[in-house]
Amino acid sequence: MKSDGLSITNDANNMETVLREVDAVAAYKALSPKDALVLRLLAEETMAMVRAITGSVKGEFWIEDLDGMYGVHLKVDTMIDAKKREELLSASTSGKNEATRGFMGKIRAFFQPTSSVPMFSSGFVGGAPQMYGNYEWSMEDYREQLRQYREQNAKSAQEAWDELEKSVVAHVADDVKVSILGRTVEMTILKKMA
């Protein structure tokens, strides 16, 4: 089952429309109140991330159920190029994107073109992906990589682990997957419902 795809932007208040769709899916699938609340929380976190993306964003939001594994999907065609993003960031006193703090802030960076994603350029994870290529990322793979780096006492591993542990999405979701194909970025938050 796939819900209706909703057109969203970051310069409009899409939250009410998205939450109505979430409630409709929960009712249609007869989810328990707890599972309905979890689905709503994941949608709220997704939409909070969308509102914080720099530049103009147009995308699509939908929910999909495959045998009880629910996916909260966000697909965005990035509209801002790296040069424009640098210009916007130069207006900041620090010249840095302060919004990349926290786990969801770092995932949000996938939706903002740059030469690297800050989640991977913290000093202990090499090979930052180039944007506009083909790339896939998984929270579970990232979590496992962090475990290994923590065991090796890598310098930034504990800070990144603490950030992951504080994330609502990291605690609630079974996995988060990000796929980049050219200028199109798709994030899927996966959660198995009873």
Side-chain angles (χ1 to χ4, degrees):
M1 177 233 103
K2 181 179 176 184
S3 73
D4 292 336
L6 303 174
S7 294
I8 59 166
T9 64
N10 64 340
D11 58 358
N13 187 357
N14 306 286
M15 186 67 83
E16 292 297 321
T17 306
V18 165
L19 293 180
R20 277 193 302 272
E21 187 69 17
V22 170
D23 291 343
V25 167
Y28 178 76
K29 297 301 285 186
L31 293 178
S32 71
K34 179 183 174 188
D35 286 346
L37 184 62
V38 166
L39 196 59
R40 187 177 176 100
L41 174 66
L42 295 174
E44 287 173 353
E45 288 290 313
T46 299
M47 294 310 296
M49 183 189 73
V50 169
R51 283 193 307 271
I53 296 174
T54 305
S56 178
V57 172
K58 292 181 181 175
E60 184 179 11
F61 174 92
W62 72 95
I63 299 170
E64 201 163 1
D65 167 29
L66 298 171
D67 297 324
M69 179 62 80
Y70 285 76
V72 174
H73 292 261
L74 173 66
K75 187 174 187 177
V76 171
D77 290 325
T78 56
M79 308 292 270
I80 183 173
D81 61 20
K83 183 176 184 206
K84 181 64 176 170
R85 182 173 184 274
E86 285 177 28
E87 289 171 10
L88 289 168
L89 290 177
S90 69
S92 160
T93 306
S94 68
K96 297 178 182 174
N97 186 351
E98 300 298 330
T100 59
R101 294 184 182 193
F103 180 68
M104 288 303 284
K106 289 184 176 185
I107 289 178
R108 181 175 53 247
F110 282 112
F111 293 85
Q112 299 174 320
T114 182
S115 60
S116 66
V117 176
M119 188 174 302
F120 297 93
S121 58
S122 61
F124 64 90
V125 180
Q130 295 299 307
M131 301 303 280
Y132 305 129
N134 297 343
Y135 183 75
E136 290 189 10
W137 177 91
S138 163
M139 179 183 72
E140 283 305 303
D141 292 344
Y142 177 65
R143 181 176 277 151
E144 182 56 34
Q145 190 176 38
L146 282 179
R147 279 189 192 107
Q148 292 172 12
Y149 284 116
R150 283 179 62 217
E151 289 172 8
Q152 299 168 10
N153 293 318
K155 186 176 179 179
S156 301
Q158 188 60 48
E159 182 181 333
W161 182 264
D162 291 344
E163 210 170 65
L164 182 65
E165 288 296 303
K166 291 176 189 174
S167 168
V168 171
V169 171
H171 279 285
V172 174
D174 292 324
D175 202 357
V176 178
K177 295 187 181 283
V178 177
S179 173
I180 301 170
L181 180 59
R183 285 185 173 257
T184 302
V185 181
E186 184 174 341
M187 176 183 73
T188 307
I189 301 176
L190 297 165
K191 177 65 180 173
K192 182 75 172 173
M193 302 290 186

